[in-house]
Amino acid sequence: MNFFERMQSLDRRWIYIVVALAIIIPLMIPYNSDNVTSPPTENLYQMIDSFAGREDRAVLLSFLHDAATMPELYPMEIAIIRHCFERNVKVFALTFLTSGAPIIDYAFNSVKEEYPDIKSGVDYCNFGYKPQPMAVVLGMGDNIANAVNTDAEGRKLESLPIMKGITNYNEMNLVVEFSGSSPGVYWIYYARPKFGVNVALGVTAVMAADEYPYLQSGQLIGMLTGLKGAAEYEKLVDVFAAYRDPAIDYSVKTDAEGNKILPGRPFGKEVLNDESTKKLINITTQTKAEFTPEEYTAFVAKYPEQKAIFDQLKEEQNGTIIIDVTKITPELRNRMGENAYREINQLTHNISYKFKVARIGMNAQSVAHIMIIIFILLGNIGYFIQKAKTAEK
């Protein structure tokens, strides 16, 4: 009995075990991989990023799904909220499903854990569950504060600082709806034709084919498709929005000429293709912040009182200055101060699990698919060999 014949008679339980391990191992032991970003994802990212630092622009997120589709849609929501928080983009959220309300809270609260300075009503606003979708969608085209009236906490919208400069879809110029069924209906059919609002979608992978005609016709400006789309957006946020230049003091809001200093950097295709970008998207644990001598000098200049601590921690390797954050004891962290510690930790490019979950999931999905394909090929080859032998007899 040759190899292929053995595969034909293999107990199917072994196949299930191998596929299960192909999923479990990449989930438990993440490995670094790259996701090539697609134009629909890049277009959505660039649209949101164009609102960075503007008082008169905002993004509205519509959570039109329940917990059943969270594995694919929730990582998208987290990634976009993180993008908005990083780049100082006003972000609003609502849902037309009662089951969507707790998901909004969960998403905002989860991201806020990493951004202690972000405030509800100032940087973001949760409208909560709103019945009568048509009335809300059309009403916001005239006046958002009148159509929605209060947020999820019962506060009058007109009294919230975030509403400064925001009146209707002229300012809240992008709606991103996340849904596993019938996504974008109200926004594509009514809000866009009547008010010209830009619309994008985050959909489960099986829904993507139904939505591509809207993308191709220009009715959608972008779309995130399943876990792959979420993984792509996570990557873009890490490369651009979460990027920090060691030489820039981001605690200062404006430069000498009065221009706003925004964290992160603008989108650039050439940056994605740069070899140095790879260290920004590693999903394995990173503990070392690396500087050129010039970058280190500029970095410690921002924290003159902590210079002695940084000098104590630094190591030099091949002209690169390295600070290993695992060597920062609680005592040193206390002396260093939370702002300095947070920045040095961010410069390690270590990514919090919640911000890389889609990429970890894609790794597991990719390995499992490869194993399934291998089993299919082996099974088919074995079948035809066996069939040929039977025919000879």
Side-chain angles (χ1 to χ4, degrees), residues 1-2 7 10-11 25 48 59 113 192 219 222 225 237 262:
M1 183 180 289
N2 62 32
M7 290 300 297
L10 183 68
D11 189 325
I25 292 174
I48 293 177
V59 178
E113 290 174 352
R192 180 167 178 77
Q219 291 168 282
T225 304
V237 173
L262 294 172

Short mmCIF file of all heavy atoms in Angstrom, two decimals, residues 1-2 7 10-11 25 48 59 113 192 219 222 225 237 262:
data_model
loop_
_atom_site.label_atom_id
_atom_site.label_comp_id
_atom_site.label_asym_id
_atom_site.label_seq_id
_atom_site.Cartn_x
_atom_site.Cartn_y
_atom_site.Cartn_z
N MET A 1 0.86 -1.20 0.00
CA MET A 1 0.00 0.00 0.00
C MET A 1 0.89 1.25 0.00
O MET A 1 1.72 1.43 0.90
CB MET A 1 -0.90 0.00 1.24
CG MET A 1 -1.87 1.17 1.29
SD MET A 1 -2.93 1.16 2.76
CE MET A 1 -4.00 -0.22 2.40
N ASN A 2 0.74 2.08 -1.06
CA ASN A 2 1.58 3.28 -1.14
C ASN A 2 0.98 4.42 -0.29
O ASN A 2 -0.08 4.28 0.32
CB ASN A 2 1.78 3.71 -2.59
CG ASN A 2 0.48 4.09 -3.28
OD1 ASN A 2 -0.45 4.58 -2.64
ND2 ASN A 2 0.40 3.85 -4.59
N MET A 7 -3.49 7.40 2.55
CA MET A 7 -4.27 8.62 2.79
C MET A 7 -5.75 8.39 2.53
O MET A 7 -6.62 8.96 3.20
CB MET A 7 -3.76 9.76 1.90
CG MET A 7 -2.38 10.29 2.29
SD MET A 7 -2.32 10.94 3.98
CE MET A 7 -3.48 12.29 3.88
N LEU A 10 -7.19 6.79 5.55
CA LEU A 10 -6.90 7.47 6.82
C LEU A 10 -8.18 7.79 7.58
O LEU A 10 -9.16 8.28 7.00
CB LEU A 10 -6.13 8.77 6.53
CG LEU A 10 -5.67 9.59 7.75
CD1 LEU A 10 -4.59 8.84 8.52
CD2 LEU A 10 -5.15 10.95 7.29
N ASP A 11 -8.18 7.50 8.86
CA ASP A 11 -9.33 7.82 9.71
C ASP A 11 -9.54 9.34 9.69
O ASP A 11 -8.62 10.11 9.96
CB ASP A 11 -9.04 7.35 11.14
CG ASP A 11 -10.27 7.45 12.04
OD1 ASP A 11 -11.07 8.38 11.86
OD2 ASP A 11 -10.42 6.58 12.92
N ILE A 25 -2.59 26.41 17.04
CA ILE A 25 -1.18 26.78 17.24
C ILE A 25 -0.89 28.22 16.81
O ILE A 25 -0.28 28.99 17.57
CB ILE A 25 -0.25 25.78 16.52
CG1 ILE A 25 -0.33 24.42 17.22
CG2 ILE A 25 1.20 26.29 16.52
CD1 ILE A 25 0.43 23.31 16.52
N ILE A 48 -10.78 58.80 6.23
CA ILE A 48 -10.82 59.10 7.67
C ILE A 48 -9.62 59.96 8.07
O ILE A 48 -9.75 60.92 8.83
CB ILE A 48 -10.87 57.80 8.49
CG1 ILE A 48 -12.19 57.07 8.24
CG2 ILE A 48 -10.69 58.08 9.99
CD1 ILE A 48 -12.31 55.73 8.94
N VAL A 59 -16.59 61.42 11.73
CA VAL A 59 -16.95 60.11 11.18
C VAL A 59 -18.09 59.54 12.02
O VAL A 59 -18.09 59.65 13.25
CB VAL A 59 -15.75 59.14 11.24
CG1 VAL A 59 -16.14 57.76 10.70
CG2 VAL A 59 -14.57 59.70 10.47
N GLU A 113 -9.10 52.18 27.00
CA GLU A 113 -8.14 51.69 28.00
C GLU A 113 -6.71 52.07 27.63
O GLU A 113 -5.87 52.25 28.51
CB GLU A 113 -8.26 50.17 28.13
CG GLU A 113 -9.54 49.70 28.78
CD GLU A 113 -9.67 48.19 28.77
OE1 GLU A 113 -8.85 47.52 28.11
OE2 GLU A 113 -10.62 47.68 29.40
N ARG A 192 -26.96 59.23 0.93
CA ARG A 192 -26.00 59.64 -0.10
C ARG A 192 -26.67 60.40 -1.24
O ARG A 192 -26.19 61.49 -1.62
CB ARG A 192 -25.22 58.43 -0.63
CG ARG A 192 -24.21 58.83 -1.69
CD ARG A 192 -23.21 57.75 -2.01
NE ARG A 192 -22.30 58.16 -3.06
CZ ARG A 192 -21.28 58.99 -2.92
NH1 ARG A 192 -21.03 59.51 -1.73
NH2 ARG A 192 -20.50 59.32 -3.92
N GLN A 219 -20.68 54.45 -5.29
CA GLN A 219 -21.62 54.75 -4.20
C GLN A 219 -20.98 54.48 -2.84
O GLN A 219 -21.42 55.03 -1.83
CB GLN A 219 -22.90 53.91 -4.36
CG GLN A 219 -23.74 54.33 -5.56
CD GLN A 219 -24.82 53.32 -5.88
OE1 GLN A 219 -24.56 52.27 -6.47
NE2 GLN A 219 -26.04 53.63 -5.48
N GLY A 222 -15.23 53.05 0.12
CA GLY A 222 -14.31 52.03 0.60
C GLY A 222 -15.07 50.91 1.27
O GLY A 222 -16.27 51.03 1.55
N THR A 225 -13.52 43.98 4.17
CA THR A 225 -14.14 42.69 3.90
C THR A 225 -13.64 41.63 4.86
O THR A 225 -12.49 41.20 4.78
CB THR A 225 -13.83 42.25 2.45
OG1 THR A 225 -14.26 43.27 1.55
CG2 THR A 225 -14.56 40.96 2.12
N VAL A 237 -3.09 51.35 10.48
CA VAL A 237 -3.07 52.15 11.71
C VAL A 237 -1.70 52.07 12.37
O VAL A 237 -1.15 53.07 12.84
CB VAL A 237 -4.18 51.69 12.68
CG1 VAL A 237 -4.05 52.40 14.03
CG2 VAL A 237 -5.55 51.95 12.09
N LEU A 262 0.06 66.79 14.97
CA LEU A 262 -0.78 65.61 15.13
C LEU A 262 0.08 64.36 15.27
O LEU A 262 1.08 64.21 14.55
CB LEU A 262 -1.70 65.44 13.92
CG LEU A 262 -2.77 66.53 13.73
CD1 LEU A 262 -3.46 66.33 12.39
CD2 LEU A 262 -3.79 66.47 14.86
#
